[in-house]
Coordinates of all heavy atoms in Angstrom, one line a residue:
R230 N -290.6 -7.0 53.7 CA -289.6 -6.0 54.1 C -288.7 -6.6 55.2 O -289.1 -7.2 56.1 CB -290.4 -4.9 54.8 CG -289.6 -3.7 55.1 CD -290.6 -2.6 55.5 NE -289.8 -1.5 56.0 CZ -290.3 -0.5 56.7 NH1 -291.6 -0.5 56.9 NH2 -289.6 0.5 57.1
Q231 N -287.4 -6.4 54.9 CA -286.4 -7.0 55.8 C -286.1 -6.1 57.0 O -286.1 -4.9 56.9 CB -285.0 -7.2 55.1 CG -285.0 -8.5 54.2 CD -283.6 -8.7 53.7 OE1 -282.9 -7.7 53.3 NE2 -283.2 -9.9 53.6
R232 N -285.9 -6.8 58.1 CA -285.5 -6.0 59.3 C -284.0 -5.9 59.4 O -283.3 -6.8 58.9 CB -286.0 -6.8 60.6 CG -287.4 -6.8 60.7 CD -287.8 -7.5 62.0 NE -287.3 -6.9 63.1 CZ -287.4 -7.3 64.4 NH1 -288.0 -8.4 64.6 NH2 -286.9 -6.6 65.4
A233 N -283.6 -4.7 59.9 CA -282.1 -4.5 60.1 C -281.6 -5.5 61.2 O -282.3 -5.8 62.1 CB -281.8 -3.1 60.5
P234 N -280.4 -6.0 61.0 CA -279.9 -6.9 62.0 C -279.7 -6.2 63.3 O -279.3 -5.0 63.4 CB -278.5 -7.4 61.5 CG -278.2 -6.4 60.4 CD -279.5 -5.8 59.9
E235 N -280.1 -6.8 64.4 CA -280.0 -6.2 65.7 C -278.5 -6.2 66.2 O -277.8 -7.1 66.0 CB -280.8 -7.0 66.7 CG -282.3 -6.8 66.4 CD -283.2 -7.4 67.5 OE1 -282.7 -7.5 68.7 OE2 -284.3 -7.7 67.2
E236 N -278.2 -5.1 66.8 CA -276.8 -4.9 67.3 C -276.7 -5.5 68.7 O -277.6 -5.4 69.5 CB -276.5 -3.4 67.3 CG -275.2 -3.1 68.0 CD -274.3 -2.2 67.1 OE1 -274.9 -1.3 66.4 OE2 -273.1 -2.4 67.1
R237 N -275.5 -6.0 68.9 CA -275.3 -6.6 70.3 C -274.9 -5.4 71.2 O -274.1 -4.6 70.9 CB -274.1 -7.5 70.2 CG -273.8 -8.2 71.5 CD -272.9 -9.4 71.4 NE -272.7 -9.9 72.7 CZ -271.6 -10.4 73.1 NH1 -270.5 -10.5 72.3 NH2 -271.4 -10.9 74.4
L238 N -275.6 -5.4 72.4 CA -275.4 -4.4 73.4 C -274.6 -5.1 74.5 O -274.9 -6.2 75.0 CB -276.7 -3.9 73.9 CG -277.5 -3.1 72.9 CD1 -278.9 -2.7 73.5 CD2 -276.8 -1.9 72.4
L239 N -273.6 -4.4 75.0 CA -272.7 -4.9 76.0 C -272.9 -4.2 77.4 O -273.2 -3.0 77.4 CB -271.2 -4.7 75.6 CG -270.8 -5.3 74.3 CD1 -269.4 -4.9 73.9 CD2 -271.0 -6.8 74.3
R240 N -272.7 -4.9 78.5 CA -272.7 -4.3 79.8 C -271.4 -3.6 80.1 O -270.4 -3.9 79.5 CB -272.9 -5.4 80.8 CG -274.3 -6.1 80.7 CD -274.5 -7.1 81.7 NE -275.9 -7.5 81.7 CZ -276.3 -8.7 82.1 NH1 -275.4 -9.6 82.6 NH2 -277.6 -9.0 82.1
V241 N -271.4 -2.8 81.1 CA -270.2 -2.1 81.6 C -269.1 -3.1 81.9 O -268.0 -2.8 81.5 CB -270.5 -1.2 82.8 CG1 -269.3 -0.5 83.3 CG2 -271.6 -0.1 82.4
T242 N -269.4 -4.1 82.6 CA -268.4 -5.1 82.9 C -267.7 -5.7 81.7 O -266.5 -6.0 81.7 CB -268.9 -6.2 83.9 OG1 -270.1 -6.8 83.3 CG2 -269.3 -5.6 85.2
Q243 N -268.5 -6.0 80.7 CA -268.0 -6.5 79.4 C -267.0 -5.5 78.7 O -266.0 -5.9 78.2 CB -269.1 -6.9 78.5 CG -269.9 -8.1 79.0 CD -271.2 -8.3 78.2 OE1 -272.0 -7.4 78.0 NE2 -271.3 -9.5 77.6
V244 N -267.4 -4.3 78.7 CA -266.6 -3.2 78.1 C -265.3 -3.1 78.9 O -264.2 -2.9 78.4 CB -267.3 -1.9 78.1 CG1 -266.5 -0.8 77.5 CG2 -268.6 -2.0 77.2
M245 N -265.4 -3.2 80.3 CA -264.2 -3.1 81.1 C -263.2 -4.2 80.8 O -262.0 -4.0 80.7 CB -264.6 -3.2 82.6 CG -265.3 -2.0 83.2 SD -266.1 -2.3 84.8 CE -264.8 -3.1 85.7
Q246 N -263.7 -5.4 80.5 CA -262.9 -6.5 80.2 C -262.2 -6.3 78.8 O -261.1 -6.6 78.6 CB -263.7 -7.8 80.2 CG -264.1 -8.3 81.6 CD -265.0 -9.5 81.6 OE1 -265.5 -9.8 80.5 NE2 -265.1 -10.1 82.7
M247 N -263.0 -5.8 77.9 CA -262.5 -5.6 76.5 C -261.3 -4.6 76.5 O -260.4 -4.7 75.8 CB -263.6 -5.1 75.6 CG -264.6 -6.2 75.2 SD -265.9 -5.6 74.2 CE -265.1 -5.6 72.6
F248 N -261.5 -3.5 77.3 CA -260.4 -2.5 77.4 C -259.4 -2.8 78.5 O -258.4 -2.0 78.6 CB -261.1 -1.1 77.7 CG -261.7 -0.5 76.5 CD1 -263.0 -0.4 76.3 CD2 -260.9 0.1 75.5 CE1 -263.6 0.2 75.2 CE2 -261.4 0.7 74.4 CZ -262.8 0.8 74.2
S249 N -259.6 -3.8 79.3 CA -258.8 -4.1 80.4 C -258.6 -2.8 81.3 O -257.5 -2.4 81.6 CB -257.4 -4.6 80.0 OG -257.5 -5.8 79.3
T250 N -259.7 -2.2 81.7 CA -259.6 -1.0 82.4 C -260.7 -1.0 83.5 O -261.5 -1.9 83.6 CB -259.8 0.2 81.5 OG1 -259.5 1.4 82.2 CG2 -261.2 0.4 80.9
S251 N -260.8 0.1 84.2 CA -261.7 0.2 85.3 C -263.1 0.8 84.9 O -263.2 1.4 83.8 CB -261.1 1.1 86.4 OG -261.1 2.5 86.0
R252 N -264.0 0.7 85.8 CA -265.4 1.2 85.5 C -265.2 2.8 85.4 O -265.9 3.4 84.6 CB -266.3 0.8 86.7 CG -267.7 1.3 86.6 CD -268.5 0.8 87.8 NE -268.5 -0.6 87.9 CZ -269.4 -1.5 87.4 NH1 -270.4 -1.0 86.7 NH2 -269.3 -2.7 87.6
T253 N -264.4 3.4 86.3 CA -264.2 4.8 86.3 C -263.7 5.3 84.9 O -264.2 6.3 84.4 CB -263.2 5.2 87.4 OG1 -263.7 4.7 88.6 CG2 -263.0 6.7 87.4
T254 N -262.8 4.6 84.3 CA -262.3 5.0 83.0 C -263.4 4.9 81.9 O -263.5 5.8 81.1 CB -261.1 4.1 82.6 OG1 -260.1 4.3 83.6 CG2 -260.5 4.5 81.2
I255 N -264.2 3.9 82.0 CA -265.3 3.7 81.1 C -266.3 5.0 81.2 O -266.6 5.6 80.2 CB -266.1 2.4 81.3 CG1 -265.2 1.2 81.1 CG2 -267.3 2.4 80.4 CD1 -264.5 1.1 79.7
W256 N -266.6 5.3 82.4 CA -267.5 6.5 82.6 C -266.8 7.8 82.2 O -267.4 8.7 81.7 CB -268.0 6.6 84.0 CG -268.9 5.4 84.3 CD1 -268.8 4.5 85.2 CD2 -270.1 5.0 83.5 NE1 -269.8 3.5 85.1 CE2 -270.6 3.9 84.1 CE3 -270.7 5.6 82.4 CZ2 -271.8 3.2 83.6 CZ3 -271.9 5.0 81.9 CH2 -272.4 3.8 82.5
R257 N -265.5 7.9 82.4 CA -264.7 9.0 81.9 C -264.8 9.2 80.4 O -264.9 10.3 79.9 CB -263.3 8.9 82.4 CG -262.5 10.2 82.3 CD -261.1 10.1 82.9 NE -261.2 9.9 84.3 CZ -260.5 9.0 85.0 NH1 -259.6 8.2 84.4 NH2 -260.6 8.8 86.3
L258 N -264.7 8.0 79.7 CA -264.8 8.1 78.2 C -266.2 8.5 77.8 O -266.3 9.2 76.8 CB -264.5 6.7 77.7 CG -263.0 6.2 77.7 CD1 -262.9 4.7 77.4 CD2 -262.2 7.0 76.8
C259 N -267.2 8.1 78.6 CA -268.5 8.6 78.3 C -268.7 10.1 78.5 O -269.3 10.8 77.7 CB -269.5 7.9 79.1 SG -269.7 6.1 78.7
K260 N -268.1 10.6 79.6 CA -268.2 12.0 80.0 C -267.6 12.9 78.9 O -268.1 13.9 78.6 CB -267.5 12.2 81.3 CG -267.7 13.6 81.8 CD -267.1 13.8 83.2 CE -267.2 15.2 83.7 NZ -266.6 15.4 85.0
V261 N -266.4 12.5 78.4 CA -265.8 13.3 77.4 C -266.3 13.1 76.0 O -265.9 13.8 75.0 CB -264.2 13.1 77.4 CG1 -263.7 13.5 78.7 CG2 -263.9 11.7 76.9
G262 N -267.2 12.1 75.8 CA -267.9 11.9 74.5 C -267.2 10.9 73.6 O -267.6 10.7 72.5
S263 N -266.2 10.2 74.1 CA -265.5 9.2 73.3 C -266.3 7.9 73.2 O -266.1 7.1 72.3 CB -264.1 8.9 73.8 OG -263.3 10.0 73.7
L264 N -267.3 7.7 74.1 CA -268.1 6.5 74.2 C -269.5 6.9 74.7 O -269.6 7.8 75.5 CB -267.4 5.6 75.2 CG -267.9 4.2 75.3 CD1 -267.8 3.5 74.0 CD2 -267.1 3.4 76.4
R265 N -270.5 6.3 74.1 CA -271.8 6.6 74.5 C -272.6 5.3 75.0 O -272.4 4.3 74.4 CB -272.6 7.2 73.3 CG -272.2 8.6 73.0 CD -273.0 9.1 71.9 NE -273.3 8.0 71.0 CZ -273.7 8.2 69.7 NH1 -273.8 9.4 69.3 NH2 -273.9 7.2 68.9
S266 N -273.4 5.5 76.0 CA -274.2 4.4 76.5 C -275.6 4.5 75.9 O -276.0 5.6 75.6 CB -274.2 4.3 78.0 OG -274.8 5.5 78.5
V267 N -276.3 3.4 75.9 CA -277.6 3.3 75.4 C -278.4 2.8 76.6 O -278.1 1.7 77.1 CB -277.8 2.3 74.2 CG1 -279.2 2.1 73.8 CG2 -276.9 2.8 73.1
P268 N -279.5 3.5 77.1 CA -280.3 2.9 78.2 C -281.1 1.7 77.8 O -281.7 1.7 76.7 CB -281.1 4.1 78.6 CG -281.2 5.0 77.4 CD -280.0 4.7 76.6
L269 N -281.1 0.7 78.6 CA -281.9 -0.5 78.3 C -282.5 -0.9 79.7 O -281.7 -1.4 80.6 CB -281.0 -1.6 77.7 CG -281.8 -2.9 77.5 CD1 -282.8 -2.7 76.4 CD2 -280.8 -4.0 77.1
N270 N -283.8 -0.7 79.9 CA -284.4 -1.0 81.1 C -283.7 -0.4 82.3 O -283.6 -1.0 83.4 CB -284.5 -2.6 81.3 CG -285.4 -3.2 80.3 OD1 -286.3 -2.6 79.7 ND2 -285.1 -4.4 79.9
G271 N -283.3 0.8 82.2 CA -282.7 1.6 83.2 C -281.2 1.3 83.5 O -280.6 1.8 84.4
S272 N -280.6 0.4 82.7 CA -279.2 0.0 82.8 C -278.5 0.5 81.5 O -279.0 0.3 80.4 CB -279.0 -1.5 82.9 OG -279.6 -1.9 84.1
P273 N -277.3 1.0 81.7 CA -276.5 1.5 80.5 C -276.0 0.3 79.8 O -275.5 -0.7 80.4 CB -275.4 2.3 81.1 CG -275.2 1.8 82.5 CD -276.6 1.3 83.0
R274 N -276.0 0.4 78.5 CA -275.4 -0.6 77.6 C -274.6 0.1 76.6 O -274.8 1.3 76.3 CB -276.5 -1.5 76.9 CG -277.4 -2.3 77.8 CD -276.6 -3.5 78.4 NE -277.5 -4.4 79.1 CZ -277.7 -4.4 80.4 NH1 -277.1 -3.6 81.2 NH2 -278.4 -5.3 80.9
F275 N -273.7 -0.6 75.9 CA -272.8 0.0 74.9 C -272.9 -0.9 73.7 O -272.9 -2.1 73.7 CB -271.4 0.0 75.4 CG -271.2 0.8 76.7 CD1 -271.4 0.3 77.9 CD2 -270.9 2.2 76.6 CE1 -271.3 1.1 79.1 CE2 -270.8 3.0 77.7 CZ -271.0 2.4 79.0
R276 N -273.0 -0.2 72.5 CA -273.1 -0.9 71.2 C -271.7 -1.5 71.0 O -270.7 -0.9 71.0 CB -273.4 0.1 70.1 CG -274.8 0.5 70.1 CD -275.0 1.4 68.9 NE -276.4 2.0 68.9 CZ -276.7 3.2 69.3 NH1 -275.7 4.0 69.7 NH2 -277.9 3.6 69.3
Q277 N -271.7 -2.8 70.6 CA -270.5 -3.5 70.3 C -269.7 -2.8 69.2 O -268.5 -2.7 69.3 CB -270.7 -5.0 70.0 CG -269.5 -5.8 69.8 CD -269.7 -7.2 69.6 OE1 -270.8 -7.6 69.2 NE2 -268.8 -8.1 70.0
S278 N -270.4 -2.4 68.2 CA -269.7 -1.7 67.1 C -269.0 -0.4 67.5 O -267.9 -0.1 67.0 CB -270.7 -1.4 65.9 OG -271.7 -0.5 66.4
D279 N -269.6 0.3 68.5 CA -269.0 1.5 69.0 C -267.7 1.2 69.8 O -266.7 1.9 69.6 CB -269.9 2.3 69.9 CG -271.0 3.0 69.2 OD1 -271.0 3.1 68.0 OD2 -272.0 3.5 69.9
I280 N -267.7 0.1 70.5 CA -266.6 -0.3 71.3 C -265.4 -0.7 70.3 O -264.3 -0.3 70.5 CB -266.9 -1.5 72.2 CG1 -268.0 -1.1 73.2 CG2 -265.7 -2.0 72.9 CD1 -267.7 0.0 74.0
L281 N -265.8 -1.5 69.3 CA -264.8 -2.0 68.4 C -264.2 -0.8 67.6 O -263.0 -0.8 67.3 CB -265.4 -3.0 67.4 CG -265.8 -4.3 68.1 CD1 -266.5 -5.2 67.1 CD2 -264.7 -5.0 68.8
A282 N -265.0 0.2 67.2 CA -264.6 1.4 66.5 C -263.6 2.2 67.4 O -262.6 2.6 66.9 CB -265.7 2.2 66.1
L283 N -263.9 2.3 68.7 CA -263.1 3.0 69.6 C -261.7 2.3 69.7 O -260.7 3.0 69.8 CB -263.7 3.2 70.9 CG -263.0 4.1 72.0 CD1 -262.8 5.5 71.4 CD2 -263.8 4.1 73.3
M284 N -261.7 1.0 69.7 CA -260.5 0.2 69.9 C -259.6 0.4 68.7 O -258.4 0.4 68.9 CB -260.8 -1.2 70.1 CG -261.5 -1.5 71.4 SD -262.0 -3.3 71.5 CE -260.6 -3.9 72.5
V285 N -260.1 0.7 67.5 CA -259.3 1.0 66.3 C -259.1 2.5 66.1 O -258.6 2.8 65.0 CB -259.8 0.2 65.1 CG1 -259.7 -1.3 65.3 CG2 -261.1 0.7 64.7
G286 N -259.6 3.3 67.0 CA -259.4 4.7 66.8 C -260.4 5.5 66.0 O -260.1 6.6 65.6
E287 N -261.5 4.9 65.8 CA -262.6 5.7 65.1 C -263.6 6.3 66.0 O -263.8 5.7 67.1 CB -263.3 4.7 64.1 CG -262.4 4.1 63.1 CD -263.2 3.1 62.2 OE1 -264.4 2.9 62.4 OE2 -262.5 2.4 61.4
A288 N -264.2 7.4 65.6 CA -265.3 8.0 66.4 C -266.5 7.1 66.4 O -266.8 6.4 65.4 CB -265.6 9.4 65.9
P289 N -267.2 7.1 67.5 CA -268.5 6.3 67.5 C -269.5 6.8 66.5 O -269.5 8.0 66.3 CB -269.0 6.4 69.0 CG -268.1 7.4 69.7 CD -267.0 7.7 68.8
R290 N -270.3 5.9 66.0 CA -271.3 6.4 65.1 C -272.5 7.0 65.8 O -272.7 6.8 67.0 CB -271.8 5.2 64.2 CG -272.6 4.2 65.0 CD -273.0 3.0 64.1 NE -273.5 1.9 65.0 CZ -274.8 1.8 65.2 NH1 -275.7 2.6 64.7 NH2 -275.2 0.8 66.0
G291 N -273.3 7.8 65.1 CA -274.4 8.4 65.8 C -274.8 9.7 65.1 O -274.1 10.2 64.2
P292 N -275.8 10.4 65.6 CA -276.3 11.6 65.0 C -275.4 12.8 65.2 O -275.5 13.8 64.5 CB -277.7 11.8 65.7 CG -277.6 11.1 67.0 CD -276.7 9.9 66.7
T293 N -274.6 12.7 66.2 CA -273.7 13.9 66.5 C -272.3 13.6 66.0 O -271.7 12.6 66.2 CB -273.6 14.2 68.0 OG1 -274.1 13.1 68.7 CG2 -274.3 15.4 68.4
D294 N -271.8 14.6 65.3 CA -270.4 14.5 64.9 C -269.5 15.2 65.9 O -270.0 16.0 66.7 CB -270.2 15.2 63.5 CG -270.9 14.5 62.4 OD1 -271.0 13.2 62.5 OD2 -271.4 15.1 61.5
G295 N -268.2 15.0 65.8 CA -267.3 15.7 66.6 C -267.2 15.2 68.1 O -267.0 16.0 69.0
L296 N -267.5 13.9 68.3 CA -267.5 13.4 69.6 C -266.0 13.3 70.1 O -265.8 13.2 71.3 CB -268.2 12.1 69.7 CG -269.7 12.1 69.5 CD1 -270.2 10.7 69.5 CD2 -270.3 13.0 70.5
Y297 N -265.1 13.3 69.2 CA -263.7 13.3 69.7 C -263.2 14.7 69.8 O -262.5 15.2 69.0 CB -262.8 12.6 68.6 CG -262.7 11.1 68.8 CD1 -263.2 10.2 67.8 CD2 -262.2 10.5 69.9 CE1 -263.1 8.9 67.9 CE2 -262.1 9.2 70.0 CZ -262.6 8.4 69.1 OH -262.5 7.0 69.2
R298 N -263.5 15.3 71.0 CA -263.0 16.6 71.3 C -262.3 16.6 72.6 O -262.6 15.7 73.4 CB -264.2 17.6 71.4 CG -264.9 17.9 70.1 CD -265.8 19.0 70.3 NE -266.8 18.7 71.3 CZ -268.1 18.4 71.1 NH1 -268.5 18.5 69.9 NH2 -268.9 18.1 72.0
G299 N -261.5 17.6 72.8 CA -260.8 17.7 74.1 C -260.0 16.5 74.5 O -259.2 16.0 73.7
R300 N -260.2 16.0 75.7 CA -259.4 14.9 76.2 C -259.9 13.5 75.7 O -259.3 12.5 76.1 CB -259.4 15.0 77.7 CG -258.8 16.2 78.2 CD -258.0 16.2 79.4 NE -257.6 15.0 80.0 CZ -256.4 14.5 80.1 NH1 -255.4 15.1 79.5 NH2 -256.2 13.4 80.7
G301 N -260.9 13.5 74.9 CA -261.4 12.2 74.5 C -260.4 11.4 73.7 O -260.2 10.2 74.0
K302 N -259.7 12.0 72.8 CA -258.6 11.3 72.1 C -257.5 10.8 73.0 O -257.1 9.7 72.9 CB -258.0 12.2 71.0 CG -258.9 12.3 69.8 CD -258.1 13.1 68.7 CE -259.0 13.4 67.5 NZ -258.4 14.2 66.6
E303 N -257.1 11.7 73.9 CA -256.0 11.2 74.8 C -256.5 10.0 75.7 O -255.7 9.1 75.9 CB -255.6 12.4 75.7 CG -254.9 13.5 75.0 CD -255.9 14.7 75.0 OE1 -256.5 15.0 76.0 OE2 -255.9 15.4 74.0
L304 N -257.7 10.1 76.2 CA -258.2 9.0 77.0 C -258.3 7.7 76.2 O -258.0 6.7 76.6 CB -259.5 9.4 77.6 CG -259.5 10.4 78.8 CD1 -260.9 10.8 79.2 CD2 -258.8 9.8 80.0
A305 N -258.8 7.9 74.9 CA -258.9 6.7 74.1 C -257.6 6.1 73.8 O -257.4 4.9 73.7 CB -259.7 7.1 72.8
R306 N -256.5 7.0 73.6 CA -255.2 6.5 73.3 C -254.6 5.9 74.6 O -253.7 5.1 74.5 CB -254.3 7.6 72.8 CG -254.5 8.0 71.4 CD -253.3 8.8 70.9 NE -252.9 9.9 71.8 CZ -253.2 11.2 71.6 NH1 -253.8 11.6 70.6 NH2 -252.8 12.0 72.5
G307 N -255.0 6.5 75.8 CA -254.4 6.0 77.0 C -253.1 6.6 77.4 O -252.5 6.2 78.3
D308 N -252.6 7.7 76.7 CA -251.3 8.2 77.0 C -251.4 9.5 77.8 O -250.4 10.0 78.3 CB -250.5 8.4 75.7 CG -251.1 9.4 74.7 OD1 -252.1 10.1 75.1 OD2 -250.6 9.4 73.6
G309 N -252.6 10.1 77.9 CA -252.8 11.4 78.7 C -252.2 12.6 78.1 O -252.1 13.6 78.7
R310 N -251.6 12.5 76.8 CA -251.0 13.7 76.2 C -252.1 14.7 75.8 O -253.2 14.3 75.5 CB -250.2 13.4 75.0 CG -249.0 12.6 75.3 CD -248.2 12.4 74.0 NE -249.0 11.4 73.2 CZ -248.8 11.2 71.9 NH1 -247.9 11.9 71.3 NH2 -249.5 10.3 71.3
R311 N -251.8 16.0 75.9 CA -252.8 17.0 75.4 C -252.5 17.4 74.0 O -251.5 17.4 73.5 CB -252.7 18.2 76.3 CG -253.3 17.9 77.6 CD -253.4 19.3 78.4 NE -253.9 18.9 79.7 CZ -255.1 19.3 80.1 NH1 -255.8 20.1 79.4 NH2 -255.5 19.0 81.3

């Protein structure tokens, strides 16, 4: 039986570098549901595939649909429009 390939998990600082943004903005994206963290030994990590999907404008994968609600799209776009 084959094992699924393991996904790379990124630290907050790595995500900050990828988006060229602040830690506050990363947590704001989490708060509105545009980005989700995964706990690993008490530290938040982010799936690389979720980060790449957000960069191209796709919703993160997962059991919940509709994570792009409210201000999430505007924050992901970075333009602040409603």
